[in-house]
Amino acid sequence: MTKRVKGSCTTVLVGKKASIDGSTIISRNDDGHEALDPQRFVVVQPEDQPRHYQAVISGVKVDLPDNPLRYTSTPNAILTNGIWPAAGINSENIAMSATETITTNPRIQGLDPYVEGGIGEEDLVTLVLPYIHSAKEGVERLGALLKEYGTYEPNGIAFSDQDEVWWLETIGGHHWAAVRIPDDAYVVAPNRMNIDDFDFDSADTLCSDDLKALIEDNHLNPDFEGYNLRHIFGSASIKDTVYNNPRAWYGQKYFTPEVEQDPMDQDLPFICRANRKISIEDVKFVLSSHFENTKYDPYGDGTEAEKTLIRPIGINRNHNVHILQIRNNVPAEIAGVHWLAYGANTFNTVVPFYSNVNDTPACYKDATGTFDLNNMYWLSCATALLGDTDYNFYVDFRNTFELEAMSVYRGIQNATDKAVADQDDAQKFLEAANEKLADESLKRQTKLFGDMVISGSEHMKLRYNLND
């Protein structure tokens, strides 16, 4: 098998009654092992979807159906390790984000080891998203693929439609479990197994046919009562206390601040309720956060030991952040919104691209491995790098940029929503709106970068004053 590449992401899920406008939301930072990995935003047409798929990493071959749907996708620009389409929305307004690398333990690995020639992160969106017509159907299709082909890694995958949000976690090589997120709830999921209390008899859960028997026949349950899948199949390691758990803690602290919790707690809850309705801006803040207003902030006032103790959510290894919003109370042709930003999330903004289109803007689509400030991926990375040199000096530039840019994006979206009913060709109209959004984004990100360069040049260490 080709050298395995692992991601290191953070997911936020929001049910329709927990969001400010009744949308379902699935979102994720697509993080990687390396700091830079150019990303693209594309539309995959049915005629371009493979019928005979072969993975680069594992070599697995999968024959695919003849009736794929069109879908948006955020693949890698450099295809050495395969396409890696991190997320997308298909033409029936079904969204999928894949995948969140999670954890496991030797008890399940000894019973159901990974399948070296199975499916994995590289493959999942391509194999599932073009063929599903509901979030639940996404769970069922992926579950069937896991049973047939197995997987070589542990992952969490999110699905949504206008009504439901589902979260699936792989277990061992062939097993899996999934939970429908309650409409009034949210989830913050870092790189660990996240599902805790699991009701095998609920209509809101799905799993491998023999999962309960696997637990009972092999004495896998450490608890006296109930089935906590994190306890049974996941980890509770020292690494979790500094790498994973604090990200869930900070997201829950932001959405539900009245609840006091320890950032290292191994039993932070999976399903949570916020103290208010959640907006896109809230989700973006959490996915960009570096533990602001705590001693753990790498840009803050804690000791060096405190500032480096735990892993931030916003990090140099963010490759893209996607917030997949399926809206209610709007026509189906504008229900799907693929919010997107590139690079480390400290100095970027998400842009609300309509998913019901046949093409995407060039500055978001055409990244290569060559540095290019006319491309949003590279421009975003450069801005974050400069901001990292003196965060406290540059943060106000970022705050002004973010407020003004998001206001403009919201205005374009509101005007587009109102005018779409009068259009003869809705897709062309939405493509034009996406171009306008991308133009604004590139212009405003370029101005931010320029303002930072101009102002920051006055503060360079390489200077000498003669008072003349």
Side-chain angles (χ1 to χ4, degrees):
M1 189 167 79
T2 300
K3 182 180 178 182
R4 188 178 305 170
V5 179
K6 295 183 179 180
S8 185
C9 313
T10 308
T11 293
V12 175
L13 314 173
V14 183
K16 63 182 180 180
K17 292 183 180 178
S19 69
I20 197 168
D21 64 351
S23 302
T24 59
I25 297 170
I26 62 175
S27 62
R28 182 169 59 91
N29 283 345
D30 184 25
D31 304 345
H33 180 69
E34 303 294 339
L36 297 177
D37 191 359
Q39 307 281 291
R40 304 173 62 227
F41 176 47
V42 302
V43 175
V44 181
Q45 298 290 348
E47 59 268 26
D48 297 323
Q49 173 70 3
R51 270 40 174 195
H52 306 285
Y53 176 83
Q54 182 170 2
V56 172
I57 292 176
S58 72
V60 66
K61 297 179 180 179
V62 182
D63 289 333
L64 295 172
D66 287 328
N67 58 340
L69 300 168
R70 185 194 72 240
Y71 60 102
T72 60
S73 175
T74 49
N76 287 356
I78 300 170
L79 302 180
T80 306
N81 295 299
I83 300 171
W84 284 67
I89 302 174
N90 72 25
S91 55
E92 294 203 3
N93 291 324
I94 313 303
M96 178 181 182
S97 178
T99 65
E100 178 86 30
T101 306
I102 59 172
T103 54
T104 186
N105 66 54
R107 297 183 296 281
I108 181 59
Q109 285 297 294
L111 292 165
D112 184 14
Y114 292 134
V115 179
E116 289 298 299
I119 60 177
E121 276 192 63
E122 173 199 345
D123 319 306
L124 299 184
V125 169
T126 304
L127 299 182
V128 177
L129 183 58
Y131 310 103
I132 59 176
H133 307 271
S134 71
K136 185 176 181 180
E137 190 177 327
V139 171
E140 293 168 337
R141 175 168 174 79
L142 180 53
L145 290 167
L146 291 167
K147 181 178 181 179
E148 180 174 358
Y149 296 98
T151 183
Y152 54 82
E153 60 186 354
N155 287 126
I157 300 95
F159 300 93
S160 64
D161 53 37
Q162 284 186 305
D163 293 316
E164 298 185 344
V165 174
W166 282 82
W167 175 252
L168 180 151
E169 293 186 331
T170 65
I171 297 168
H174 293 90
H175 291 82
W176 57 275
V179 174
R180 181 185 184 276
I181 308 306
D183 292 343
D184 65 345
Y186 74 89
V187 166
V188 180
N191 299 115
R192 65 172 187 205
M193 186 150 195
N194 292 280
I195 298 174
D196 48 23
D197 296 331
F198 191 82
D199 182 354
F200 283 95
D201 298 319
S202 172
D204 292 330
T205 63
L206 293 167
C207 65
S208 311
D209 294 339
D210 63 339
L211 189 64
K212 189 174 183 181
L214 179 76
I215 295 169
E216 294 179 346
D217 293 348
N218 294 283
H219 311 290
L220 298 178
N221 193 350
D223 297 324
F224 292 108
E225 296 181 356
Y227 296 90
N228 184 314
L229 299 193
R230 195 187 307 165
H231 293 172
I232 297 169
F233 297 117
S235 62
S237 66
I238 297 301
K239 180 179 178 179
D240 286 328
T241 67
V242 294
Y243 194 84
N244 290 319
N245 305 344
R247 284 182 276 159
W249 163 77
Y250 192 81
Q252 293 174 16
K253 177 182 175 68
Y254 180 76
F255 290 129
T256 319
E258 65 273 17
V259 177
E260 294 288 337
Q261 298 178 137
D262 187 321
M264 295 188 179
D265 189 346
Q266 302 281 23
D267 285 314
L268 294 169
F270 173 55
I271 302 295
C272 301
R273 270 80 181 179
N275 71 347
R276 62 192 182 281
K277 293 184 178 181
I278 296 171
S279 68
I280 295 294
E281 288 83 356
D282 289 327
V283 173
K284 173 60 166 64
F285 175 82
V286 169
L287 291 174
S288 303
S289 60
H290 40 89
F291 307 120
E292 289 92 325
N293 292 334
T294 77
K295 62 185 179 182
Y296 305 113
D297 185 353
Y299 297 130
D301 298 323
T303 66
E304 286 306 306
E306 290 168 338
K307 292 193 292 184
T308 58
L309 178 63
I310 58 182
R311 197 219 114 148
I313 299 174
I315 198 169
N316 67 324
R317 294 184 281 111
N318 298 146
H319 295 155
N320 77 65
V321 55
H322 50 264
I323 304 174
L324 308 183
Q325 180 186 28
I326 309 298
R327 300 188 291 173
N328 287 289
N329 306 313
V330 298
E333 59 196 348
I334 58 170
V337 183
H338 190 137
W339 296 78
L340 181 65
Y342 292 130
N345 288 327
T346 44
F347 283 84
N348 62 15
T349 58
V350 285
V351 180
F353 292 116
Y354 292 93
S355 64
N356 180 25
V357 293
N358 287 309
D359 201 2
T360 53
C363 65
Y364 277 82
K365 180 177 63 176
D366 294 339
T368 67
T370 300
F371 180 80
D372 181 1
L373 285 178
N374 292 309
N375 180 273
M376 278 304 301
Y377 174 81
W378 288 110
L379 177 60
S380 298
C381 292
T383 312
L385 177 62
L386 179 56
D388 185 73
T389 64
D390 193 342
Y391 178 84
N392 290 324
F393 176 74
Y394 290 122
V395 68
D396 278 347
F397 291 82
R398 190 278 314 275
N399 292 343
T400 299
F401 153 75
E402 188 169 31
L403 174 62
E404 293 178 350
M406 287 295 290
S407 299
V408 170
Y409 305 154
R410 289 283 193 181
I412 294 171
Q413 185 183 44
N414 290 337
T416 304
D417 285 355
K418 291 176 182 177
V420 72
D422 298 327
Q423 306 304 313
D424 294 330
D425 189 334
Q427 286 183 329
K428 286 292 185 184
F429 182 66
L430 297 178
E431 286 170 14
N434 284 355
E435 289 288 348
K436 188 173 183 180
L437 287 160
D439 289 347
E440 283 287 346
S441 176
L442 182 64
K443 178 182 73 175
R444 291 174 180 278
Q445 189 82 34
T446 300
K447 183 179 184 302
L448 170 64
F449 184 63
D451 289 345
M452 291 168 64
V453 169
I454 292 167
S455 297
S457 296
E458 299 293 335
H459 295 266
M460 289 177 65
K461 294 179 181 179
L462 190 65
R463 64 177 187 233
Y464 190 79
N465 293 327
L466 291 174
N467 296 318
D468 60 353

